Amino acid sequence: MVEKGLKEHYTLDIDWEGKLYCGITLDWDYERKTVDISMPGYIKKLLQRFQHELKKAQHSPYKCAPKSYGKDAQKPLPLDESPKIDKKRVTRIQQIIGAILYYARCVDITLLMSLSTIAHEQTKATENTDLSVTQILDYCATHPDAKIRFRASAMILNIHSDASYLNAPNARSRIGGHYFLGWLPIDKQPIKLNGAIHVISTILKFVAASAAEAELGALFVNAKEGRIIRLILHELGHPQPPTPIHCDNSTAAGIANNTVKRQRSRSMEMRYFWVADQVQRKQFDVKWHPGQENLGDYYTKHHPASHHARVRPFYLQEPNSPLELPRAMTPEELRGCAKTPMALPTSRQPLAFPFSQHSRSRTEGTSPIGAAAAAAITYRDISLSPYSCHQMPAAALCPWPSAISCS
C-alpha cells in the first residue's frame, strides 16, 4: 500500500537487495553473516575534482615528527613558521578537508587523526599546511577503496579509550576512542574484533595538568558517547551489560573505579569524575589493559608509514585482516627471564612483541597492537611453548619488530 501510494506522486526506484545507502555501498554475505561497507569511485572523483595526480605512493596520511631521545624528548614540537597562504588556497584546503571527512567518517577511519590536525590549522593555513593536504591526497590515491567489514556478533558495545598528553598546540592533549559491537571480553583471551561503528579523534577542551588527567578526560568524552550508543542499542532490542572500556592508564582507571585515593586529584576537571558515578551505576566497566591492545591509541598521534601499513588490517578490511586481537603481556608476566617466551633482543634487533611496552621511553607513544599485527602465535600459544627464552627457535618468533609510534 505504501509503495502504491508513493508511486502515484513520485518516481521511485526500489532496491530490494539493499546495496546502496547514502552513497555507501553495502555488500551482504548471508552465508558468512557479514556485510562490507565501501564507497567505490569516491576518491577517484575527488582527485579529479581537485586535479590531483599521484606522483609517488604514500602510506602515511600525515608527516610524523622525528623521534627524540633523552632530554630532547621533553622539548615541544617546533612552531610552524612557514609563510601563510592566500585566501583562495585556504578555501581550497577547506573544500578538500570537507570532502575527505565524509569519506573518512563512513569507511576510512585511518584518515581521521590527520584530518583533525589539518582542520585546526586551516583557518591560519601555511605552506606546510598545504603540503600536509597534498600528502593526505597522495595517501587517498594510494589507498582509494577502503572497506569496513561487520560480522554478526552478540551486539555488545566495546570501547577503547586513550589520550596523548601535550601533543597538540597550546599545551593541549588529544584523545581517541574506538567503538565496535562484538562480544564481552574475557581476561587472558584474545579480543574478538569487528568493524568500528564510531571513532573519536579530537583535542581535549581543557588543558590537562598530567597524563592521568588527560586519560580521565578521554574516559569522560568516550563514556558520554557510549551512553548515547547504549540507549540506541537498548531501543533496538539489544540490552547491554556494563560496557567494557579499555584504558591503558592505571591512575585514570583507579579513579574511575574508586580504587585509589583522590586526595591529589582535586585539581583535575570536576566533570571528569562523572565517569566514576557511571561505573558505580553499572553503566560502564573501566579496566586497565596494556597499551599494545588498546585500539584507541591509533587516533591520538601521528605514526610513520611502516606503522600505518602494519596496523591498517586491524581497522579496515584487508586480505590479511585478523579476527582476533592477541592480548599483550602484563608487567607481572614479563618479570624474570626463565618464563619469558620470547628470545632476548640484541643490540641491533628491536624488542619484539610483547616487549615493546618496556622498550619505549616515557614520552613515546605505545602502539595499539604492536608487532601483533602479523604474529603467527598468540599469547596462549606462547604460554604453552616448551621452549625457554634461550631455547626457542628463530622460526617460532614473531617476525615483526615492535612498532613504537611517534608522539
CSV table of all heavy atoms in Angstrom, one decimal, residues 73-133:
chain,number,residue,atom,x,y,z
A,73,ALA,N,63.5,14.6,24.2
A,73,ALA,CA,62.1,14.1,24.0
A,73,ALA,C,61.1,14.9,24.8
A,73,ALA,O,59.9,14.9,24.5
A,73,ALA,CB,62.1,12.6,24.5
A,74,GLN,N,61.6,15.7,25.8
A,74,GLN,CA,60.7,16.6,26.5
A,74,GLN,C,60.4,17.9,25.9
A,74,GLN,O,59.6,18.6,26.3
A,74,GLN,CB,61.3,16.8,27.9
A,74,GLN,CG,61.7,15.6,28.7
A,74,GLN,CD,60.5,14.8,29.2
A,74,GLN,OE1,59.4,15.4,29.2
A,74,GLN,NE2,60.6,13.5,29.5
A,75,LYS,N,61.2,18.2,24.8
A,75,LYS,CA,61.0,19.5,24.2
A,75,LYS,C,59.7,19.5,23.3
A,75,LYS,O,59.4,18.5,22.7
A,75,LYS,CB,62.2,19.8,23.3
A,75,LYS,CG,63.5,20.0,24.0
A,75,LYS,CD,64.6,20.3,23.1
A,75,LYS,CE,66.0,20.5,23.8
A,75,LYS,NZ,67.1,20.8,22.9
A,76,PRO,N,59.0,20.7,23.3
A,76,PRO,CA,57.8,20.7,22.5
A,76,PRO,C,58.2,20.8,21.0
A,76,PRO,O,59.3,21.1,20.6
A,76,PRO,CB,57.2,22.1,22.9
A,76,PRO,CG,58.3,22.9,23.5
A,76,PRO,CD,59.3,21.9,24.1
A,77,LEU,N,57.2,20.4,20.2
A,77,LEU,CA,57.4,20.5,18.8
A,77,LEU,C,57.6,21.9,18.3
A,77,LEU,O,57.0,22.8,18.8
A,77,LEU,CB,56.2,19.8,18.0
A,77,LEU,CG,56.0,18.4,18.3
A,77,LEU,CD1,54.7,17.9,17.6
A,77,LEU,CD2,57.1,17.5,17.8
A,78,PRO,N,58.5,22.1,17.3
A,78,PRO,CA,58.7,23.5,16.8
A,78,PRO,C,57.5,24.1,16.2
A,78,PRO,O,56.7,23.4,15.6
A,78,PRO,CB,59.9,23.3,15.8
A,78,PRO,CG,59.8,21.9,15.4
A,78,PRO,CD,59.3,21.1,16.6
A,79,LEU,N,57.3,25.4,16.3
A,79,LEU,CA,56.2,26.1,15.7
A,79,LEU,C,56.3,26.1,14.2
A,79,LEU,O,57.4,26.1,13.7
A,79,LEU,CB,56.1,27.5,16.3
A,79,LEU,CG,55.8,27.6,17.8
A,79,LEU,CD1,55.8,29.1,18.2
A,79,LEU,CD2,54.5,26.9,18.2
A,80,ASP,N,55.2,26.2,13.6
A,80,ASP,CA,55.2,26.3,12.1
A,80,ASP,C,55.4,27.8,11.7
A,80,ASP,O,54.6,28.6,11.9
A,80,ASP,CB,53.8,25.8,11.6
A,80,ASP,CG,53.8,25.8,10.0
A,80,ASP,OD1,54.8,26.1,9.4
A,80,ASP,OD2,52.7,25.5,9.5
A,81,GLU,N,56.6,28.0,11.2
A,81,GLU,CA,57.0,29.4,10.8
A,81,GLU,C,57.0,29.6,9.3
A,81,GLU,O,57.6,30.6,8.8
A,81,GLU,CB,58.4,29.7,11.4
A,81,GLU,CG,58.4,29.7,12.9
A,81,GLU,CD,59.7,30.0,13.5
A,81,GLU,OE1,60.7,30.1,12.7
A,81,GLU,OE2,59.9,30.2,14.7
A,82,SER,N,56.4,28.7,8.6
A,82,SER,CA,56.4,28.8,7.1
A,82,SER,C,55.4,29.9,6.7
A,82,SER,O,54.5,30.3,7.5
A,82,SER,CB,56.0,27.5,6.5
A,82,SER,OG,54.7,27.1,6.9
A,83,PRO,N,55.6,30.5,5.6
A,83,PRO,CA,54.7,31.6,5.1
A,83,PRO,C,53.2,31.2,5.1
A,83,PRO,O,52.9,30.1,4.7
A,83,PRO,CB,55.3,32.0,3.8
A,83,PRO,CG,56.6,31.5,3.7
A,83,PRO,CD,56.6,30.2,4.6
A,84,LYS,N,52.4,32.2,5.4
A,84,LYS,CA,50.9,31.9,5.2
A,84,LYS,C,50.5,32.0,3.8
A,84,LYS,O,51.1,32.7,3.0
A,84,LYS,CB,50.1,32.9,6.1
A,84,LYS,CG,50.3,32.8,7.6
A,84,LYS,CD,49.4,33.7,8.3
A,84,LYS,CE,49.6,33.5,9.8
A,84,LYS,NZ,48.6,34.4,10.6
A,85,ILE,N,49.4,31.3,3.5
A,85,ILE,CA,48.9,31.2,2.1
A,85,ILE,C,47.8,32.1,1.9
A,85,ILE,O,47.1,32.6,2.9
A,85,ILE,CB,48.6,29.8,1.7
A,85,ILE,CG1,47.5,29.2,2.6
A,85,ILE,CG2,49.8,28.9,1.7
A,85,ILE,CD1,47.0,27.8,2.2
A,86,ASP,N,47.4,32.4,0.7
A,86,ASP,CA,46.3,33.4,0.4
A,86,ASP,C,45.0,32.7,0.7
A,86,ASP,O,44.8,31.5,0.9
A,86,ASP,CB,46.4,33.9,-1.0
A,86,ASP,CG,46.4,32.8,-2.1
A,86,ASP,OD1,45.6,31.9,-1.9
A,86,ASP,OD2,47.2,32.9,-3.0
A,87,LYS,N,43.9,33.6,0.6
A,87,LYS,CA,42.6,33.1,1.0
A,87,LYS,C,42.1,32.1,0.0
A,87,LYS,O,41.3,31.2,0.4
A,87,LYS,CB,41.6,34.3,1.0
A,87,LYS,CG,40.2,34.0,1.5
A,87,LYS,CD,39.4,35.3,1.6
A,87,LYS,CE,38.0,34.9,2.2
A,87,LYS,NZ,37.2,36.2,2.3
A,88,LYS,N,42.4,32.2,-1.3
A,88,LYS,CA,42.0,31.3,-2.3
A,88,LYS,C,42.5,29.8,-2.0
A,88,LYS,O,41.7,28.9,-2.1
A,88,LYS,CB,42.4,31.7,-3.7
A,88,LYS,CG,41.9,30.8,-4.8
A,88,LYS,CD,42.4,31.4,-6.2
A,88,LYS,CE,41.9,30.5,-7.3
A,88,LYS,NZ,42.3,31.0,-8.6
A,89,ARG,N,43.7,29.7,-1.6
A,89,ARG,CA,44.3,28.4,-1.3
A,89,ARG,C,43.7,27.9,0.0
A,89,ARG,O,43.5,26.7,0.2
A,89,ARG,CB,45.8,28.5,-1.2
A,89,ARG,CG,46.4,28.8,-2.6
A,89,ARG,CD,47.9,29.1,-2.4
A,89,ARG,NE,48.7,27.9,-2.0
A,89,ARG,CZ,50.0,27.9,-1.7
A,89,ARG,NH1,50.6,29.1,-1.8
A,89,ARG,NH2,50.6,26.8,-1.3
A,90,VAL,N,43.4,28.8,0.9
A,90,VAL,CA,42.8,28.4,2.2
A,90,VAL,C,41.4,27.8,1.9
A,90,VAL,O,41.0,26.7,2.5
A,90,VAL,CB,42.6,29.5,3.2
A,90,VAL,CG1,41.8,29.1,4.4
A,90,VAL,CG2,44.0,30.0,3.7
A,91,THR,N,40.6,28.4,1.0
A,91,THR,CA,39.3,27.9,0.7
A,91,THR,C,39.4,26.5,0.0
A,91,THR,O,38.6,25.6,0.3
A,91,THR,CB,38.6,28.9,-0.3
A,91,THR,OG1,38.5,30.1,0.3
A,91,THR,CG2,37.2,28.4,-0.7
A,92,ARG,N,40.4,26.3,-0.8
A,92,ARG,CA,40.6,25.0,-1.5
A,92,ARG,C,40.9,24.0,-0.4
A,92,ARG,O,40.4,22.8,-0.5
A,92,ARG,CB,41.8,25.1,-2.5
A,92,ARG,CG,42.1,23.8,-3.2
A,92,ARG,CD,43.2,24.0,-4.2
A,92,ARG,NE,43.5,22.7,-4.9
A,92,ARG,CZ,44.3,21.8,-4.4
A,92,ARG,NH1,45.0,22.0,-3.3
A,92,ARG,NH2,44.5,20.7,-5.1
A,93,ILE,N,41.8,24.3,0.6
A,93,ILE,CA,42.1,23.3,1.6
A,93,ILE,C,40.8,23.0,2.4
A,93,ILE,O,40.6,21.8,2.7
A,93,ILE,CB,43.1,23.9,2.6
A,93,ILE,CG1,44.5,24.0,1.9
A,93,ILE,CG2,43.2,23.1,3.9
A,93,ILE,CD1,45.6,24.6,2.7
A,94,GLN,N,40.0,23.9,2.7
A,94,GLN,CA,38.7,23.7,3.4
A,94,GLN,C,37.8,22.8,2.6
A,94,GLN,O,37.1,21.9,3.2
A,94,GLN,CB,38.1,25.0,3.8
A,94,GLN,CG,38.8,25.8,4.8
A,94,GLN,CD,38.2,27.2,5.0
A,94,GLN,OE1,37.5,27.7,4.1
A,94,GLN,NE2,38.5,27.8,6.1
A,95,GLN,N,37.7,23.0,1.3
A,95,GLN,CA,36.9,22.1,0.5
A,95,GLN,C,37.4,20.7,0.4
A,95,GLN,O,36.6,19.7,0.5
A,95,GLN,CB,36.9,22.7,-1.0
A,95,GLN,CG,36.2,24.0,-1.1
A,95,GLN,CD,36.3,24.6,-2.5
A,95,GLN,OE1,37.1,24.2,-3.3
A,95,GLN,NE2,35.4,25.6,-2.8
A,96,ILE,N,38.7,20.5,0.4
A,96,ILE,CA,39.3,19.2,0.3
A,96,ILE,C,39.1,18.5,1.7
A,96,ILE,O,38.7,17.3,1.7
A,96,ILE,CB,40.8,19.3,0.1
A,96,ILE,CG1,41.1,19.8,-1.4
A,96,ILE,CG2,41.5,17.9,0.3
A,96,ILE,CD1,42.6,20.0,-1.7
A,97,ILE,N,39.3,19.2,2.8
A,97,ILE,CA,39.1,18.5,4.1
A,97,ILE,C,37.6,18.1,4.3
A,97,ILE,O,37.3,17.0,4.8
A,97,ILE,CB,39.5,19.5,5.2
A,97,ILE,CG1,41.0,19.8,5.1
A,97,ILE,CG2,39.2,18.9,6.6
A,97,ILE,CD1,41.9,18.6,5.1
A,98,GLY,N,36.7,19.0,3.8
A,98,GLY,CA,35.3,18.7,4.0
A,98,GLY,C,34.9,17.5,3.1
A,98,GLY,O,34.1,16.6,3.5
A,99,ALA,N,35.4,17.4,1.9
A,99,ALA,CA,35.1,16.3,1.0
A,99,ALA,C,35.7,14.9,1.5
A,99,ALA,O,35.0,13.9,1.5
A,99,ALA,CB,35.7,16.6,-0.4
A,100,ILE,N,36.9,15.0,2.1
A,100,ILE,CA,37.5,13.7,2.6
A,100,ILE,C,36.9,13.3,3.9
A,100,ILE,O,36.8,12.1,4.2
A,100,ILE,CB,39.0,13.9,2.7
A,100,ILE,CG1,39.7,14.2,1.4
A,100,ILE,CG2,39.7,12.7,3.3
A,100,ILE,CD1,41.2,14.5,1.5
A,101,LEU,N,36.4,14.3,4.7
A,101,LEU,CA,35.9,14.0,6.0
A,101,LEU,C,34.7,13.1,5.9
A,101,LEU,O,34.5,12.1,6.7
A,101,LEU,CB,35.5,15.3,6.7
A,101,LEU,CG,35.1,15.1,8.2
A,101,LEU,CD1,36.1,14.5,9.0
A,101,LEU,CD2,34.7,16.5,8.8
A,102,TYR,N,33.8,13.3,5.0
A,102,TYR,CA,32.6,12.4,4.8
A,102,TYR,C,33.1,11.0,4.5
A,102,TYR,O,32.6,10.0,5.1
A,102,TYR,CB,31.7,12.9,3.7
A,102,TYR,CG,30.5,12.0,3.4
A,102,TYR,CD1,29.5,12.0,4.3
A,102,TYR,CD2,30.4,11.3,2.3
A,102,TYR,CE1,28.4,11.2,4.1
A,102,TYR,CE2,29.3,10.5,2.0
A,102,TYR,CZ,28.3,10.4,2.9
A,102,TYR,OH,27.2,9.6,2.7
A,103,TYR,N,34.0,10.8,3.6
A,103,TYR,CA,34.6,9.5,3.3
A,103,TYR,C,35.3,8.9,4.5
A,103,TYR,O,35.1,7.7,4.7
A,103,TYR,CB,35.6,9.7,2.1
A,103,TYR,CG,36.3,8.4,1.7
A,103,TYR,CD1,35.7,7.4,1.0
A,103,TYR,CD2,37.7,8.3,2.1
A,103,TYR,CE1,36.5,6.3,0.7
A,103,TYR,CE2,38.4,7.2,1.7
A,103,TYR,CZ,37.8,6.2,1.0
A,103,TYR,OH,38.5,5.1,0.7
A,104,ALA,N,36.0,9.7,5.3
A,104,ALA,CA,36.7,9.1,6.4
A,104,ALA,C,35.8,8.7,7.5
A,104,ALA,O,36.0,7.6,8.1
A,104,ALA,CB,37.7,10.2,7.0
A,105,ARG,N,34.7,9.4,7.8
A,105,ARG,CA,33.8,9.0,8.8
A,105,ARG,C,33.0,7.8,8.4
A,105,ARG,O,32.5,7.0,9.3
A,105,ARG,CB,32.8,10.2,9.1
A,105,ARG,CG,33.5,11.3,9.9
A,105,ARG,CD,32.5,12.5,10.1
A,105,ARG,NE,33.1,13.5,11.0
A,105,ARG,CZ,32.5,14.7,11.3
A,105,ARG,NH1,31.4,15.0,10.7
A,105,ARG,NH2,33.1,15.5,12.1
A,106,CYS,N,32.8,7.6,7.1
A,106,CYS,CA,32.0,6.5,6.7
A,106,CYS,C,32.8,5.2,6.6
A,106,CYS,O,32.4,4.2,7.1
A,106,CYS,CB,31.4,6.8,5.3
A,106,CYS,SG,30.1,8.0,5.3
A,107,VAL,N,34.0,5.2,6.0
A,107,VAL,CA,34.7,4.0,5.7
A,107,VAL,C,36.2,4.0,6.1
A,107,VAL,O,36.7,3.0,6.6
A,107,VAL,CB,34.6,3.6,4.2
A,107,VAL,CG1,33.1,3.1,3.9
A,107,VAL,CG2,35.0,4.7,3.3
A,108,ASP,N,36.9,5.1,5.8
A,108,ASP,CA,38.4,5.1,6.0
A,108,ASP,C,38.7,5.9,7.3
A,108,ASP,O,39.1,7.0,7.3
A,108,ASP,CB,39.1,5.7,4.8
A,108,ASP,CG,40.6,5.4,4.8
A,108,ASP,OD1,41.1,4.9,5.9
A,108,ASP,OD2,41.3,5.5,3.8
A,109,ILE,N,38.6,5.2,8.4
A,109,ILE,CA,38.8,5.8,9.7
A,109,ILE,C,40.3,6.1,10.0
A,109,ILE,O,40.6,6.8,10.9
A,109,ILE,CB,38.3,4.9,10.8
A,109,ILE,CG1,38.9,3.5,10.8
A,109,ILE,CG2,36.7,4.9,10.8
A,109,ILE,CD1,38.4,2.6,11.9
A,110,THR,N,41.2,5.6,9.1
A,110,THR,CA,42.6,5.9,9.3
A,110,THR,C,43.0,7.3,9.0
A,110,THR,O,44.1,7.8,9.3
A,110,THR,CB,43.5,5.0,8.4
A,110,THR,OG1,43.2,5.2,7.1
A,110,THR,CG2,43.2,3.5,8.8
A,111,LEU,N,42.0,8.1,8.4
A,111,LEU,CA,42.3,9.5,8.0
A,111,LEU,C,41.9,10.5,9.0
A,111,LEU,O,42.2,11.6,9.0
A,111,LEU,CB,41.5,9.8,6.7
A,111,LEU,CG,41.9,9.1,5.4
A,111,LEU,CD1,40.8,9.2,4.4
A,111,LEU,CD2,43.2,9.6,4.9
A,112,LEU,N,41.2,10.0,10.1
A,112,LEU,CA,40.5,11.0,11.0
A,112,LEU,C,41.6,11.8,11.8
A,112,LEU,O,41.4,13.0,12.0
A,112,LEU,CB,39.6,10.2,11.9
A,112,LEU,CG,38.3,9.7,11.3
A,112,LEU,CD1,37.6,8.8,12.3
A,112,LEU,CD2,37.5,10.8,10.7
A,113,MET,N,42.6,11.2,12.2
A,113,MET,CA,43.6,11.9,13.0
A,113,MET,C,44.3,13.0,12.2
A,113,MET,O,44.4,14.1,12.6
A,113,MET,CB,44.7,10.9,13.5
A,113,MET,CG,45.9,11.5,14.2
A,113,MET,SD,45.5,12.4,15.6
A,113,MET,CE,47.0,13.3,16.0
A,114,SER,N,44.6,12.7,10.9
A,114,SER,CA,45.2,13.7,10.1
A,114,SER,C,44.3,14.8,9.7
A,114,SER,O,44.6,16.0,9.7
A,114,SER,CB,45.7,13.0,8.8
A,114,SER,OG,46.6,11.9,9.1
A,115,LEU,N,43.0,14.5,9.5
A,115,LEU,CA,42.0,15.5,9.1
A,115,LEU,C,41.8,16.4,10.3
A,115,LEU,O,41.6,17.6,10.2
A,115,LEU,CB,40.7,14.8,8.7
A,115,LEU,CG,40.7,14.1,7.4
A,115,LEU,CD1,39.4,13.3,7.2
A,115,LEU,CD2,41.0,15.1,6.2
A,116,SER,N,41.8,15.8,11.5
A,116,SER,CA,41.6,16.7,12.7
A,116,SER,C,42.7,17.7,12.9
A,116,SER,O,42.5,18.8,13.3
A,116,SER,CB,41.5,15.7,14.0
A,116,SER,OG,41.4,16.5,15.2
A,117,THR,N,43.9,17.2,12.6
A,117,THR,CA,45.1,18.1,12.8
A,117,THR,C,45.0,19.2,11.8
A,117,THR,O,45.2,20.4,12.1
A,117,THR,CB,46.4,17.3,12.6
A,117,THR,OG1,46.4,16.3,13.6
A,117,THR,CG2,47.6,18.2,12.8
A,118,ILE,N,44.7,18.9,10.5
A,118,ILE,CA,44.7,19.9,9.5
A,118,ILE,C,43.5,20.9,9.7
A,118,ILE,O,43.6,22.1,9.4
A,118,ILE,CB,44.6,19.3,8.1
A,118,ILE,CG1,45.9,18.4,7.8
A,118,ILE,CG2,44.5,20.3,7.0
A,118,ILE,CD1,45.8,17.6,6.5
A,119,ALA,N,42.4,20.3,10.2
A,119,ALA,CA,41.2,21.2,10.4
A,119,ALA,C,41.5,22.3,11.4
A,119,ALA,O,41.0,23.4,11.3
A,119,ALA,CB,40.1,20.3,10.9
A,120,HIS,N,42.4,22.0,12.4
A,120,HIS,CA,42.8,23.0,13.4
A,120,HIS,C,43.8,24.0,12.8
A,120,HIS,O,44.0,25.1,13.5
A,120,HIS,CB,43.3,22.3,14.7
A,120,HIS,CG,42.3,21.7,15.5
A,120,HIS,ND1,41.8,20.4,15.3
A,120,HIS,CD2,41.7,22.2,16.6
A,120,HIS,CE1,40.9,20.2,16.3
A,120,HIS,NE2,40.8,21.2,17.1
A,121,GLU,N,44.4,23.7,11.7
A,121,GLU,CA,45.3,24.6,11.1
A,121,GLU,C,44.8,25.4,10.0
A,121,GLU,O,45.4,26.4,9.5
A,121,GLU,CB,46.5,23.8,10.6
A,121,GLU,CG,47.3,23.0,11.6
A,121,GLU,CD,48.3,22.1,11.0
A,121,GLU,OE1,48.5,22.1,9.8
A,121,GLU,OE2,49.1,21.4,11.8
A,122,GLN,N,43.6,25.0,9.4
A,122,GLN,CA,43.1,25.5,8.1
A,122,GLN,C,42.8,27.0,8.2
A,122,GLN,O,43.0,27.7,7.1
A,122,GLN,CB,42.0,24.7,7.6
A,122,GLN,CG,40.7,24.8,8.5
A,122,GLN,CD,39.6,23.9,8.0
A,122,GLN,OE1,39.7,23.2,7.0
A,122,GLN,NE2,38.5,23.9,8.7
A,123,THR,N,42.3,27.5,9.3
A,123,THR,CA,42.0,29.0,9.3
A,123,THR,C,43.2,29.8,9.2
A,123,THR,O,43.2,31.0,8.8
A,123,THR,CB,41.2,29.3,10.6
A,123,THR,OG1,42.0,28.9,11.7
A,123,THR,CG2,39.9,28.6,10.6
A,124,LYS,N,44.4,29.3,9.7
A,124,LYS,CA,45.6,30.0,9.6
A,124,LYS,C,46.6,29.2,8.8
A,124,LYS,O,47.8,29.0,9.2
A,124,LYS,CB,46.2,30.4,11.0
A,124,LYS,CG,45.3,31.2,11.8
A,124,LYS,CD,45.8,31.5,13.2
A,124,LYS,CE,44.9,32.4,14.0
A,124,LYS,NZ,45.4,32.6,15.4
A,125,ALA,N,46.2,28.7,7.7
A,125,ALA,CA,47.0,27.8,6.9
A,125,ALA,C,48.3,28.4,6.4
A,125,ALA,O,48.3,29.6,6.0
A,125,ALA,CB,46.1,27.3,5.7
A,126,THR,N,49.3,27.6,6.4
A,126,THR,CA,50.6,28.0,5.9
A,126,THR,C,51.0,27.1,4.7
A,126,THR,O,50.3,26.2,4.3
A,126,THR,CB,51.7,27.9,7.0
A,126,THR,OG1,51.8,26.5,7.4
A,126,THR,CG2,51.2,28.8,8.2
A,127,GLU,N,52.2,27.3,4.2
A,127,GLU,CA,52.8,26.4,3.2
A,127,GLU,C,52.9,25.0,3.7
A,127,GLU,O,52.6,24.0,2.9
A,127,GLU,CB,54.1,26.9,2.7
A,127,GLU,CG,54.1,28.3,2.0
A,127,GLU,CD,53.5,28.2,0.6
A,127,GLU,OE1,53.3,27.0,0.1
A,127,GLU,OE2,53.2,29.2,0.1
A,128,ASN,N,53.2,24.8,4.9
A,128,ASN,CA,53.3,23.4,5.5
A,128,ASN,C,51.9,22.8,5.5
A,128,ASN,O,51.8,21.5,5.3
A,128,ASN,CB,53.9,23.4,6.9
A,128,ASN,CG,55.4,23.7,6.8
A,128,ASN,OD1,56.1,23.5,5.8
A,128,ASN,ND2,56.0,24.2,7.9
A,129,THR,N,50.9,23.6,5.8
A,129,THR,CA,49.6,23.0,5.8
A,129,THR,C,49.2,22.5,4.4
A,129,THR,O,48.6,21.5,4.3
A,129,THR,CB,48.5,24.1,6.3
A,129,THR,OG1,49.0,24.6,7.5
A,129,THR,CG2,47.2,23.5,6.4
A,130,ASP,N,49.6,23.3,3.4
A,130,ASP,CA,49.3,22.9,2.0
A,130,ASP,C,50.0,21.6,1.7
A,130,ASP,O,49.5,20.8,1.0
A,130,ASP,CB,49.7,24.0,1.1
A,130,ASP,CG,49.1,23.9,-0.3
A,130,ASP,OD1,47.9,23.4,-0.4
A,130,ASP,OD2,49.8,24.2,-1.3
A,131,LEU,N,51.2,21.5,2.2
A,131,LEU,CA,52.0,20.2,1.9
A,131,LEU,C,51.3,19.0,2.6
A,131,LEU,O,51.3,17.9,2.1
A,131,LEU,CB,53.4,20.4,2.4
A,131,LEU,CG,54.3,21.4,1.6
A,131,LEU,CD1,55.7,21.5,2.3
A,131,LEU,CD2,54.5,20.9,0.2
A,132,SER,N,50.7,19.3,3.8
A,132,SER,CA,50.0,18.2,4.5
A,132,SER,C,48.8,17.8,3.8
A,132,SER,O,48.5,16.6,3.7
A,132,SER,CB,49.7,18.7,5.9
A,132,SER,OG,50.8,19.0,6.7
A,133,VAL,N,48.1,18.7,3.1
A,133,VAL,CA,46.9,18.4,2.3
A,133,VAL,C,47.3,17.6,1.1
A,133,VAL,O,46.7,16.6,0.7
A,133,VAL,CB,46.2,19.7,1.9
A,133,VAL,CG1,45.1,19.3,1.0
A,133,VAL,CG2,45.6,20.3,3.2
